[in-house]
């Protein structure tokens, strides 16, 4: 029988977790054990620090529920989400890059026809996004789903409110020629939730806790890689220090102001509005 010592504990734990029945799970768990032990050795982790870490993780769990995703937020601000996104979305040249999903996506958004206003009377500057969804090989994609969500003019997402109806989110489809048209309100930059354990940790640093103005997209179509991405407003603050590392050059696009007049959905507006034009390019799935 081998009892644990400071020197052999890592080997003992790796052997034990290497018995996981699924080979991939064994690989992941044994690597996790090695890295956790190396981390504790490298920083000479004290018992007090270890307990503080456990208590922080406990609070992350306790504040989370079916709407508040504090673990996703923790992963986002630590840069882990964006690392995993980049390792797993190696699209070809010309394809629209992926970025973080974030904690505020809600499944099952209502279907919306071309040009539908997903802001449904919520205060803000009218905003139209138009463009085409196409393949890297050039052809337009008909019937592609654009699942869209965003914050309101106060930086608040539906998931942060107690509401029953879909708010600032909808699922649009491209037309036969691959075009889409979304009507909403201009999204503003906002602070990530700072009233929980992730915010408490950030408050002990000089990290900026703001995200640049953006709108979220999840694009899906059979035969193409699923694309989780954002569009960022050109020139908006915090493009250079996004707290979740989500900005990509290719996703920054002009949000153009217009005087009252004809709008991209064919209507005429009596108030100023803003437009953005963006062509999403999807990567065909490998056969
Ligand atoms: C968001 O853009 O919705 C978001 C992403 C990561 C963390 C917090 C918010
Ligand atoms: Fe967001």
């Amino acid at each position: 029988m081998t009892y644990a010592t400071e020197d052999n504990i890592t080997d003992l734990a790796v052997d034990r977790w290497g018995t996981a029945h699924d080979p991939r799970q064994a690989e992941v768990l044994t690597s996790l054990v090695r890295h956790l032990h190396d981390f504790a050795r490298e920083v000479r982790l004290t018992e007090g620090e270890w307990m503080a870490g456990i208590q922080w993780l406990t609070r992350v769990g306790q504040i989370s529920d079916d709407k508040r995703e504090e673990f996703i937020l923790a992963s986002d601000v630590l840069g882990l989400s964006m690392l995993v996104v980049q390792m797993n979305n190696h699209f070809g040249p010309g394809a629209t890059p992926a970025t973080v999903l974030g904690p505020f996506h809600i499944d099952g958004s209502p279907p919306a026809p071309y040009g539908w206003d997903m802001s449904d009377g919520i205060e803000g500057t009218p905003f139209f996004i138009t463009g085409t969804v196409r393949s890297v090989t050039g052809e337009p994609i008909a019937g592609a789903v654009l699942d869209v969500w965003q914050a309101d003019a106060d930086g608040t997402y539906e998931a942060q409110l107690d509401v029953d109806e879909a708010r600032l989110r909808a699922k649009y489809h491209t037309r036969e020629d691959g075009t889409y048209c979304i009507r909403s309100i201009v999204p503003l930059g906002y602070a990530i939730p700072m009233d929980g354990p992730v915010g408490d940790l950030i408050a002990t640093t000089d990290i900026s806790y703001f995200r640049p103005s953006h709108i979220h997209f999840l694009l899906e179509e059979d035969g193409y890689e699923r694309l989780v991405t954002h569009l960022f407003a050109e020139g908006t603050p915090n493009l250079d220090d996004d707290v979740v590392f989500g900005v990509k050059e290719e996703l920054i696009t002009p949000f153009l102001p217009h005087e009252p007049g004809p709008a991209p959905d064919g209507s005429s507006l009596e108030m100023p509005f803003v437009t953005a034009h963006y062509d999403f390019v999807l990567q065909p799935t490998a056969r």
Side-chain angles (χ1 to χ4, degrees):
M1 174 70 203
T2 309
Y3 293 107
T5 66
E6 184 176 336
D7 289 336
N8 71 10
I9 177 104
T10 303
D11 291 340
L12 291 178
V14 165
D15 285 350
R16 200 172 279 183
W17 286 99
T19 65
H21 304 162
D22 174 67
R24 174 63 179 163
Q25 194 180 340
E27 182 186 0
V28 170
L29 290 175
T30 54
S31 177
L32 179 66
V33 166
R34 268 194 221 98
H35 285 278
L36 283 173
H37 288 213
D38 283 351
F39 156 71
R41 287 193 174 92
E42 182 181 314
V43 301
R44 304 302 308 161
L45 195 67
T46 68
E47 287 171 291
E49 289 161 348
W50 171 79
M51 182 50 77
I54 295 283
Q55 285 167 345
W56 185 82
L57 286 168
T58 303
R59 288 200 295 128
V60 172
Q62 284 169 339
I63 204 171
S64 298
D65 58 24
D66 57 341
K67 282 195 154 183
R68 177 142 187 173
E69 299 274 14
E70 195 79 358
F71 274 111
I72 295 185
L73 187 62
S75 166
D76 291 344
V77 302
L78 290 170
L80 181 61
S81 307
M82 200 54 191
L83 171 62
V84 174
V85 164
Q86 294 185 102
M87 287 192 306
N88 288 281
N89 293 275
H90 286 295
F91 300 150
T96 304
T99 187
V100 287
L101 177 69
F104 299 130
H105 177 256
I106 298 178
D107 283 330
S109 284
Y114 184 88
W116 193 69
D117 183 1
M118 71 174 200
S119 72
D120 197 20
I122 295 168
E123 225 170 276
T125 305
F127 180 43
F128 296 88
I129 312 172
T130 54
T132 300
V133 178
R134 62 179 172 81
S135 168
V136 282
T137 50
E139 68 270 17
I141 304 173
V145 177
L146 298 107
D147 185 353
V148 188
W149 68 106
Q150 69 167 88
D152 65 18
D154 293 329
T156 308
Y157 281 85
E158 179 192 325
Q160 297 170 286
L161 300 169
D162 198 10
V163 291
D164 292 332
E165 300 225 317
R167 186 175 189 272
L168 288 170
R169 62 184 171 96
K171 266 187 192 173
Y172 295 82
H173 289 79
T174 53
R175 301 192 294 190
E176 277 307 304
D177 61 355
T179 55
Y180 69 89
C181 177
I182 295 160
R183 178 171 174 173
S184 187
I185 52 171
V186 175
L188 300 180
Y190 58 82
I192 59 161
M194 287 295 288
D195 58 345
V198 170
D200 291 346
L201 199 60
I202 287 184
T204 66
T205 71
D206 291 334
I207 296 171
S208 155
Y209 45 87
F210 289 92
R211 297 217 63 205
S213 164
H214 64 274
I215 178 163
H216 295 255
F217 292 83
L218 193 169
L219 281 85
E220 282 182 302
E221 173 59 8
D222 286 348
Y224 295 89
E225 298 291 342
R226 180 177 184 261
L227 174 66
V228 175
T229 196
H230 301 2
L231 293 184
F232 294 94
E234 190 178 77
T236 195
N238 302 107
L239 285 170
D240 292 343
D241 63 359
D242 179 13
V243 60
V244 303
F245 309 92
V247 180
K248 294 256 171 200
E249 185 83 50
E250 301 92 318
L251 303 177
I252 301 174
T253 193
F255 284 16
L256 300 170
H258 298 267
E259 292 304 318
D265 63 349
S267 67
S268 181
L269 263 65
E270 289 172 3
M271 61 185 89
F273 59 94
V274 170
T275 61
H277 188 84
Y278 196 85
D279 291 340
F280 291 96
V281 183
L282 301 186
Q283 173 75 34
T285 44
R287 280 166 215 279

